[in-house]
Amino acid sequence: MVEYRIDRHSGVATYVQIVQQTKQALRLGMLEPGDKLPTAREVVEATAINPNTVLKAYRELEREGLVEARRGLGTFVRRGLSTTPADSPLRTELDDWADRAWAAGLGRDDVAALFTAVLDKHFQGEPS
């Protein structure tokens, strides 16, 4: 099950953070078709956000065809976005690289900027 982490200082709307984190979990294979998302109540208890915010995020995911709400049962994943398994050798290499970046004294924002620059270079013009 996915655990949402809300960054109140990011400038990104809370419901968008939930949508993004859900999509990331789908891409990494951490959520698969049939899996149940946490209830709005569970997300509210874990993050101290408004229940309507959670419901807005879930409606957005449903509108995109990624999840479906089943009355009285919860919200379930309809389809995944995974093309690379979570245990991929590429993930291991990236994890090792992040360890080296941290050991070299780079902060999260530095690593994100560096990684984004490399992505932009290699995936120029490709739809996200």
Side-chain angles (χ1 to χ4, degrees):
M1 184 178 288
V2 66
E3 291 182 23
Y4 298 109
R5 290 177 176 76
I6 305 303
D7 181 355
R8 298 179 196 295
H9 304 290
S10 71
V12 177
T14 304
Y15 88 94
V16 173
Q17 291 182 50
I18 293 171
V19 170
Q20 290 173 339
Q21 290 175 37
T22 303
K23 287 180 176 180
Q24 182 177 10
L26 290 167
R27 281 190 185 93
L28 294 174
M30 296 166 60
L31 284 174
E32 297 178 346
D35 288 349
K36 184 179 177 186
L37 295 182
T39 65
R41 173 179 279 163
E42 290 169 336
V43 177
V44 168
E45 288 173 359
T47 61
I49 61 174
N50 187 304
N52 290 328
T53 302
V54 180
L55 296 175
K56 182 176 182 178
Y58 284 10
R59 280 192 304 273
E60 175 69 19
L61 291 164
E62 189 169 19
R63 188 186 65 73
E64 293 182 27
L66 298 173
V67 303
E68 66 179 333
R70 298 181 192 159
R71 190 162 188 87
L73 297 175
T75 303
F76 294 83
V77 175
R78 287 186 67 199
R79 66 180 177 91
L81 295 173
S82 176
T83 56
T84 305
D87 61 350
S88 162
L90 289 173
R91 182 181 175 129
T92 302
E93 290 175 29
L94 186 56
D95 192 44
D96 292 342
W97 177 84
D99 285 341
R100 290 194 312 274
W102 183 82
L106 295 176
R108 182 184 179 94
D109 290 341
D110 298 326
V111 170
L114 183 58
F115 189 74
T116 299
V118 171
L119 283 178
D120 290 347
K121 175 184 172 188
H122 290 279
F123 294 91
Q124 202 169 32
E126 181 177 296
S128 51

